[in-house]
């Protein structure tokens, strides 16, 4: 059937299962927006294209589907860049469709012409420039396949305006021919045997579970492996939810703000089993002193991650779920009682320092708010954070029992992510509440999406942790720059009034006693709700491994006597 | 020791740019990069000579595979491979000097491919060391212009080069375990 390029695009998107698109129109993408009216797709009109990328990202992380966003050429497309880079860092499947000036104008600095494929090349898994209508079907098919398979990532399709209006015969391609794209599946038997031999002799093993566990859906295999070999599991920031936080073998989060006993266990381990994680500098600290006594097994779908930061003894290149399934019959049961006892001892010390052990001193701490939220909501929510101190406290104190409920910008640490991501996730799970825990700084980067939330009736609860500071930067200045506070003091609008201007119900909370009531208020009020928590201004996230320091050289929270706290 | 890789890539617009951009982004130091057509018009071939400081061939190979348009990568360093580069050297040559230049060229199996009243162009196709020596010997005559292509490489016989990427099948292509 002959169709316009714009129609072909929508025909293909529908066939890829796309139900929702986050975007913003403009000149070079107008034919696509016009054709959209004839297709059963929900379009969410954002207030800034960056918001569209974060929504698509949140939607993708929460549902496992490919998130789709759309923008016009030039400034529309460049506004997507941060979100694309963030999706690339965190392996989030996304397809971004941008308008481009007509093919014959390319290279001539036409109005709103920007070299989008050039700009996005290093921050995409792959990208395409479409100059003719008859290329569209094949490209869209490939783009979705590439975005979601292997190690997922964002794919940009830059579409010349002429290709949108010209007509072509529409044939949905049945097959994809990508001879250079072969995501690995199985590791070789020899490597599996080598790994099994290391596992057998280990006395102090630790599993490092990353985002790859969730990406590959390997939660049951991870749990079985850990149980059978009695191996404790440390999780990366993005791996949280891979194993329930309440699981006896869970060590919680590793790394810069990881649990001290978790980092100690890694440093003392004699075998590290890295499952779908990439030894980011935020989890290794000083590479020269990282886990010095440990042999390392690295299960990873992306061969370029092997030996990139940490040299490993046995690389198992393949899909994690497949590799763990293949490995299972080669593994023998073990119990590492002594090792687990040792870890339990470190854990007791951590608990003594825990801020949650503090008596109520009348002040509001983010960690307390997070705990209260967790006590009320349990697992009945989708939880997004922005970037900064509140992000780390949420990672530490919101005990996640399930995967795919936790959205946070890890690799890129992109401020402004939390609120739009929560909204995107809600579109994928309308039966759930989506909560965004955000800082006063990060929230203001994408707060324009409040209007989008209202327009869409999104059931998103925004919890702003207002410390009047760019808190994480302030903490670094406190620790490493002699408390010389530079450009971290932040004046914010009256957030309750701001919400009011959008017609969003809101509350300000200043006392610990008010937290539960405010949460109840948010829950019982349908649609978007904003809560502002006026929190302790100069609290620090502990423990902290200073950037580049040894992983067990942590700055610990001073032990506070409960009696002193009561004064 | 410099490493030499052969990459076959899809012959599509922008692929050279993707490869070059990858090297820049990953901070890989490339000595020379040669691209050309092959027996198959849909495939181009690159010969990459790299300075291994800080980077292993395995890393370069694995990163190349992340590019959707890269079909195959072989490491031919220390393998039975033929490495050749072509150089054109324009040298000052009065009619009296021509004889000496010609005999030098003969030793290196180089040719004089252009003769002007006061200069000649010497063409040589050889391994890098030989080209270096010829250039040094010609230098006293006065080199006016010099251009070198960088290495192109080919394995002898039918054995392929080394493929580092774990999981790569016996016969090169990812036949084993890759779908
Ligand atoms: C887009 C962007 N700009 C700058 C930073 C650097 N940065 C990291 S955390 C942080 C402070 C965040 O402050 P806030 O949002 O108030 O959260 P808090 O740390 O106080 O919880 C900054 C500026 C960043 N991560 N992202």
């Amino acid at each position: 059937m002959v169709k316009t390029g714009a129609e072909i695009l929508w025909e293909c998107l529908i066939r890829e299962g796309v139900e929702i698109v986050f975007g913003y129109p403009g000149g070079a993408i107008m034919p696509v927006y016009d054709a959209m009216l004839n297709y059963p797709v929900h379009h969410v009109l954002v207030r800034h294209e960056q918001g569209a990328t974060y929504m698509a990202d949140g939607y993708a992380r929460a549902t496992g589907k490919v998130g789709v966003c759309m923008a016009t050429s030039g400034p529309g497309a460049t506004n997507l860049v941060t979100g694309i880079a963030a999706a690339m860092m965190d392996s989030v499947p996304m397809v971004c469709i941008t308008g481009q000036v007509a093919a014959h104008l390319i290279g001539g600095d036409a109005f709103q012409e920007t070299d989008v494929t050039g700009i996005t090349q290093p921050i995409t898994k792959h990208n395409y420039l479409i100059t003719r209508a008859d290329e569209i079907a094949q490209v869209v098919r490939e783009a979705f396949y590439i975005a979601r398979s292997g190690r997922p990532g964002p794919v940009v399709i830059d579409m010349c305006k002429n290709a949108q209006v010209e007509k072509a015969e529409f044939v949905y391609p049945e097959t994809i021919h990508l001879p250079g794209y072969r995501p690995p599946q199985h590791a070789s038997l020899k490597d599996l045997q080598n790994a099994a031999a290391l596992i057998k002799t280990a006395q102090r093993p630790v599993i490092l579970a990353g985002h790859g566990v969730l990406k590959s859906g390997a939660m049951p295999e991870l749990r079985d492996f850990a149980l059978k070999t009695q191996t404790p599991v440390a999780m990366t920031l993005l791996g949280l939810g891979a194993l329930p936080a309440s699981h006896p073998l869970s060590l919680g989060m590793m790394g810069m703000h990881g649990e001290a006993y978790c980092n100690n266990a890694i440093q003392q381990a004699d075998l590290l089993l890295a499952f779908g994680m990439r030894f980011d500098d935020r989890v290794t600290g000083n590479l020269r002193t990282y886990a010095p006594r440990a042999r390392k097994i690295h299960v990873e779908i992306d061969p370029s991650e092997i030996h990139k930061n940490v040299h490993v003894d046995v690389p198992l290149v393949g899909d994690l779920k497949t590799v763990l399934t293949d490995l299972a019959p080669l593994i023998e049961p073990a119990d590492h009682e002594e090792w687990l006892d040792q870890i339990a001892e470190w854990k007791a010390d951590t608990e003594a320092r825990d801020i949650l052990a503090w008596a109520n001193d009348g002040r509001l701490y983010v960690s307390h708010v997070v705990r209260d939220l967790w006590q009320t909501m349990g697992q009945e929510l989708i939880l997004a954070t922005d970037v900064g101190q509140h992000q780390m406290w949420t990672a530490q104190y919101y005990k996640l029992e399930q995967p795919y409920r936790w959205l946070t910008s890890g690799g890129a640490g992109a401020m402004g992510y939390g609120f739009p991501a929560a909204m995107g996730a809600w579109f994928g799970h309308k039966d759930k509440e989506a909560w965004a825990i955000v800082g006063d700084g990060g929230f203001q980067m994408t707060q324009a999406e409040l209007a989008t939330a209202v327009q869409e009736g999104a059931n998103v609860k925004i919890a702003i942790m207002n410390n009047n500071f760019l808190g994480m930067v302030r903490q670094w200045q406190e620790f490493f720059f002699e408390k010389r506070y530079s450009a971290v003091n932040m004046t914010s609008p009256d957030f309750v009034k701001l919400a009011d201007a959008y017609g969003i119900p809101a509350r300000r909370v200043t006392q610990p006693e008010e937290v539960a009531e405010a949460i109840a208020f948010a829950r019982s009020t349908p649609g978007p709700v904003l809560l502002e928590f006026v929190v302790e201004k100069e609290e620090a996230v502990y423990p902290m491994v200073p950037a580049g320091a040894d992983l067990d050289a942590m700055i610990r929270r001073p032990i506070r006597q409960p009696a002193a706290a009561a004064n | 020791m410099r490493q030499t890789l052969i990459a076959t890539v899809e012959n599509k617009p922008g692929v050279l740019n993707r490869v070059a951009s990858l090297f820049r982004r990953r901070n890989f130091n490339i000595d020379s990069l040669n691209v050309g057509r092959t027996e198959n018009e849909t495939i181009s071939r690159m010969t990459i000579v790299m300075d291994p400081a800080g980077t292993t061939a395995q890393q370069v190979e694995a990163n190349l595979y992340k590019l959707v348009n890269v079909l195959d990568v072989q490491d031919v360093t220390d393998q039975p491979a033929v490495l050749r580069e072509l150089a054109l050297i324009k040298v000052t040559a009065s009619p009296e000097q021509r004889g000496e230049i010609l005999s030098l060229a003969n030793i290196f199996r180089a040719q004089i491919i252009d003769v002007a009243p006061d200069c000649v162009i010497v063409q040589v196709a050889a391994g890098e060391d030989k080209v270096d020596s010829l250039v040094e010997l010609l230098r006293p005559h006065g080199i006016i212009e010099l251009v070198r292509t960088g290495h192109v490489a080919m394995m002898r016989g039918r054995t392929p080069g080394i493929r580092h990427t774990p999981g790569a099948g016996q016969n090169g292509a990812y036949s084993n375990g890759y779908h």
Side-chain angles (χ1 to χ4, degrees), chain B:
Chain B
M1 174 72 204
R2 284 184 313 174
Q3 319 225 31
T4 306
L5 300 178
I6 298 171
T8 47
V9 303
E10 288 180 272
N11 181 10
K12 286 187 174 168
V15 176
L16 173 59
N17 187 296
R18 287 179 198 275
V19 171
S21 154
L22 168 79
F23 290 154
R24 176 191 53 75
R25 177 159 53 94
R26 292 285 176 193
N27 223 352
F28 295 158
N29 255 332
I30 298 303
D31 242 46
S32 72
L33 171 63
N34 183 290
V35 197
R37 284 182 295 194
T38 64
E39 74 284 3
N40 179 338
E41 63 180 19
T42 66
I43 291 176
S44 315
R45 176 161 162 144
M46 299 184 177
T47 306
I48 302 154
V49 180
M50 39 171 285
D51 175 356
T55 315
T56 62
Q58 173 263 334
Q59 271 295 310
V60 177
E61 178 184 317
N63 274 283
L64 281 168
Y65 276 128
K66 291 185 79 162
L67 301 178
V68 169
N69 307 112
V70 172
L71 301 171
D72 183 44
V73 186
Q74 300 171 44
D75 181 357
V76 301
T77 317
D78 290 336
Q79 299 298 304
V82 187
L83 275 75
R84 289 290 180 273
E85 79 171 321
L86 183 97
L88 300 178
I89 312 159
K90 190 182 285 174
V91 199
T92 312
S94 60
E96 307 81 69
Q97 286 172 305
R98 277 183 207 151
E100 192 188 337
I101 290 171
L102 183 62
S103 62
L104 268 178
N106 283 338
I107 298 169
F108 285 86
R109 280 192 254 161
Q111 293 142 314
I112 309 285
I113 55 165
D114 183 66
V115 180
D118 61 346
C119 63
V120 296
I121 296 178
V122 181
Q123 168 188 297
V124 62
E128 191 187 20
D129 296 355
K130 287 239 173 69
V131 176
D132 285 349
S133 320
L134 179 58
V135 168
E136 284 320 305
L137 290 167
L138 290 174
R139 202 177 288 283
H141 294 272
I143 294 179
I144 301 165
E145 262 184 81
L146 170 66
V147 60
R148 298 170 71 150
T149 58
H151 268 150
V152 291
M154 189 175 279
M155 285 293 289
R156 297 176 192 272
R158 286 179 184 268
T159 9
I162 308 283
R163 286 151 171 121
H164 300 276
T165 304
Q170 294 87 353
N171 293 323
Y174 278 0
S175 52
N176 255 1
Y178 285 71
H179 57 63

Side-chain angles (χ1 to χ4, degrees), chain A residues 8-231:
Chain A
I8 293 175
L9 173 68
W10 288 111
E11 292 285 344
C12 294
L13 293 178
I14 299 292
R15 283 172 177 75
E16 294 295 339
V18 175
E19 294 163 358
I20 187 165
V21 170
F22 305 93
Y24 209 96
I29 191 87
M30 284 182 68
V32 169
Y33 270 86
D34 180 64
M36 180 174 77
L37 296 174
N38 298 329
Y39 289 88
V41 175
H42 182 64
H43 180 271
V44 177
L45 177 64
V46 295
R47 296 300 183 270
H48 184 294
E49 289 86 350
Q50 185 176 112
T53 57
Y54 294 155
M55 286 182 211
D57 176 311
Y59 176 84
R61 288 193 210 217
T63 62
K65 296 183 196 162
V66 177
V68 179
C69 50
M70 205 167 263
T72 190
S73 66
T78 55
N79 274 351
L80 299 175
V81 165
T82 308
I84 296 171
M88 183 71 173
M89 289 294 265
D90 287 352
S91 310
V92 177
M94 196 147 105
V95 168
C96 303
I97 296 154
T98 51
Q100 180 56 280
V101 302
H104 74 277
L105 296 175
I106 284 190
D109 298 326
F111 177 65
Q112 293 192 330
E113 180 193 354
T114 303
D115 175 12
V116 171
T117 41
I119 289 173
T120 59
Q121 188 171 289
I123 54 166
T124 49
K125 189 168 169 187
H126 195 54
N127 64 18
Y128 294 92
L129 173 65
I130 293 181
T131 56
R132 296 192 324 258
D134 64 4
E135 299 170 88
I136 295 171
Q138 190 70 41
V139 165
V140 175
R141 185 84 208 271
E142 288 179 11
F144 275 80
Y145 175 64
I146 291 170
R148 70 161 77 94
S149 59
R151 178 178 179 175
V155 178
V156 165
I157 304 175
D158 196 28
M159 232 175 134
C160 288
K161 193 165 181 181
N162 61 293
Q164 302 169 31
V165 288
E166 284 162 10
K167 293 190 169 167
E169 182 69 25
F170 171 59
V171 192
Y172 187 65
E174 289 307 323
T175 56
I176 304 178
H177 183 60
L178 287 169
Y181 180 71
R182 296 154 299 203
Q185 192 74 29
H186 293 273
S188 76
L189 183 62
K190 194 172 125 271
D191 289 339
L192 290 169
Q193 285 164 341
N194 290 340
L198 286 188
I199 293 163
K200 192 174 174 185
T201 54
Q203 307 281 313
R204 299 186 309 279
V206 174
I207 293 170
L208 311 175
H211 206 190
V213 177
L214 282 73
K215 293 280 156 197
S216 154
M219 289 74 66
E221 290 75 14
L222 166 69
R223 188 198 51 219
D224 293 350
F225 183 98
L227 276 176
K228 187 170 178 185
T229 57
Q230 284 296 299
T231 303

Side-chain angles (χ1 to χ4, degrees), chain A residues 241-473:
Chain A
L243 189 74
S246 61
H247 195 285
L249 288 169
S250 166
L251 295 179
M253 185 169 72
M254 67 179 96
M256 182 174 270
H257 293 293
E259 306 285 3
Y261 59 88
C262 179
N263 288 343
N264 281 335
I266 292 168
Q267 288 302 86
Q268 298 301 324
D270 67 354
L271 178 67
L272 291 183
L273 297 128
F275 290 171
M277 57 83 73
R278 59 185 174 85
F279 295 105
D280 181 86
D281 56 86
R282 286 296 189 263
V283 308
T284 62
N286 184 355
L287 282 173
R288 277 194 303 272
T289 58
Y290 179 67
R293 285 169 284 278
R295 304 284 215 108
K296 290 154 193 112
I297 297 171
H298 194 179
V299 189
E300 172 56 55
I301 198 161
D302 176 356
S304 77
E305 292 296 346
I306 304 292
H307 309 312
K308 185 182 80 177
N309 295 339
V310 169
H311 188 86
V312 296
D313 300 279
V314 181
L316 297 175
V317 175
D319 167 60
L320 182 62
K321 191 180 177 79
T322 311
V323 171
L324 290 184
T325 306
D326 293 348
L327 190 58
L330 309 180
I331 301 299
E332 289 163 27
D335 76 277
H336 298 289
E337 213 170 307
E338 236 175 88
W339 176 227
L340 294 174
D341 286 349
Q342 164 70 73
I343 292 172
E345 212 172 283
W346 290 325
K347 198 167 177 173
D349 175 62
T350 290
E351 277 158 13
R353 293 168 191 269
D354 194 341
I355 189 167
L356 291 189
W358 292 8
N360 183 352
D361 59 4
R363 301 161 191 231
L364 207 52
Y365 297 99
V366 177
S367 41
H368 290 171
V369 176
V370 171
R371 177 205 45 202
D372 290 354
L373 184 66
W374 170 66
Q375 282 172 348
T376 340
M377 297 293 298
Q379 308 304 310
E380 292 312 304
L381 83 179
I382 292 180
L383 183 61
T385 74
D386 214 83
V387 172
Q389 292 186 306
H390 66 278
Q391 175 188 33
M392 293 301 131
W393 277 313
T394 310
Q396 292 175 338
Y397 290 103
Y398 206 103
K399 302 297 176 192
L400 289 162
E401 302 292 309
Q402 282 159 1
Y404 312 123
R405 297 289 177 81
W406 164 244
L407 320 171
T408 199
S409 175
M415 282 172 71
Y417 173 83
F419 167 42
M423 215 185 316
W426 174 78
F427 282 108
H429 291 286
K430 289 198 175 170
D431 54 321
K432 296 204 168 62
E433 279 170 40
W435 280 74
I437 299 188
V438 298
D440 45 324
F443 176 64
Q444 290 186 70
M445 286 203 173
T446 44
Q447 70 181 14
E449 304 305 338
L450 284 170
T452 315
V454 174
Q455 188 167 345
E456 295 290 336
N459 198 14
V460 177
K461 315 302 177 191
I462 306 150
I464 304 175
M465 302 297 148
N466 188 0
N467 53 11
N468 288 108
F469 273 120
L470 294 174
M472 188 56 95
V473 179

